[in-house]
Amino acid sequence: MNHVLRRPGMFGRDEIPESLLLEAMAAVDGSLERWQAECDRLHESHAFTATGVMGAYSDILPADALREATASVYAEIAHRLGWLELDRALSAAEFQRLRGDIGGWVMQDRTLSEVIETFGPPSLWIGGTNPYFPKTLAYTTADHDDDLICLHLWNAFAARLRGVHPEAVLLAVRHRPGPFPDAFSFTPEGTSRPTTPPATTNPRTRRNSQTT
């Protein structure tokens, strides 16, 4: 499960692997009711549409940034349920400082290097290590009640393996509680990127399909 959450693109183009694995983990852990409550929470916060979490993100990010961003929502659920293995746990002070600073920090365009230099290695790196490609970096503490602060980075490719930008650039940060559409702050680059029309079907769109 932790491997899928770090490299979701290796396991499919949609979020079905994350959903199935978390449901299976909940069954093994005796936590199916908590898993269902998390699914309900996604619907209630508008983080899950007719085309899943990816559909909700399609109103926020370009198509080639969706896969890693979508996995971050399932990683946050895994963290709350105590299953996520963090690469680095921020201290409470570090987390509060990040939460307080990030909204103003993204008022300028930022790169992957700037994210790492400013906030250090993430708690969870979602996507490949190649600096050119889209990825999501998530920061949190060891406290399962703390949400993930997720920085979504992107690049466009004018030719095969050649990015328009020298490295991935930050588009948006998911850092606010409450309704999903209101959870984001955007860089100038992020506000200029077109979003993605959602797909018309999703094999796991039924509200209670996770607990069949």
Side-chain angles (χ1 to χ4, degrees):
M1 181 196 70
N2 277 276
H3 184 56
V4 171
L5 291 173
R6 283 166 169 79
R7 298 299 297 270
M10 296 178 63
F11 296 88
R13 299 180 62 181
D14 58 34
E15 64 206 72
I16 292 176
E18 294 98 296
S19 180
L20 288 175
L21 281 170
L22 264 69
E23 181 179 3
M25 186 70 184
V28 171
D29 196 42
S31 302
L32 281 173
E33 288 187 4
R34 294 182 65 194
W35 164 243
Q36 184 59 53
E38 291 289 348
C39 295
D40 292 341
R41 179 175 176 173
L42 291 181
H43 285 272
E44 291 162 4
S45 67
H46 306 290
F48 194 102
T49 71
T51 50
V53 174
M54 191 172 288
Y57 260 113
S58 70
D59 291 331
I60 306 295
L61 297 172
D64 43 5
L66 295 180
R67 189 66 186 92
E68 292 77 18
T70 296
S72 74
V73 171
Y74 290 96
E76 191 166 61
I77 293 174
H79 181 57
R80 279 196 291 268
L81 296 180
W83 306 332
L84 184 64
E85 298 174 359
L86 301 179
D87 298 323
R88 173 190 169 217
L90 275 65
S91 68
E94 288 173 323
F95 188 68
Q96 290 305 318
R97 185 164 57 251
L98 172 57
R99 173 173 281 172
D101 292 348
I102 194 67
W105 192 77
V106 300
M107 293 180 69
Q108 300 180 38
D109 285 325
R110 305 291 184 176
T111 65
L112 172 63
S113 295
E114 288 179 284
V115 172
I116 301 298
E117 289 169 4
T118 304
F119 303 116
S123 304
L124 181 68
W125 183 299
I126 305 174
T129 56
N130 189 316
Y132 295 113
F133 286 87
K135 58 191 86 276
T136 289
L137 306 188
Y139 293 83
T140 191
T141 72
D143 188 339
H144 299 157
D145 291 330
D146 284 333
D147 293 333
L148 271 60
I149 296 176
C150 298
L151 289 80
H152 303 306
L153 297 109
W154 167 89
N155 204 348
F157 292 86
R160 187 175 180 86
L161 300 182
R162 181 180 177 183
V164 171
H165 300 287
E167 61 179 325
V169 296
L170 183 64
L171 295 188
V173 180
R174 180 165 63 84
H175 66 109
R176 297 191 185 96
F180 186 81
D182 301 329
F184 296 85
S185 293
F186 296 89
T187 61
E189 180 75 23
T191 60
S192 70
R193 292 296 106 199
T195 54
T196 310
T200 56
T201 59
N202 186 305
R204 293 178 66 82
T205 56
R206 290 185 295 113
R207 184 180 180 87
N208 294 318
S209 64
Q210 290 91 339
T211 56
T212 55

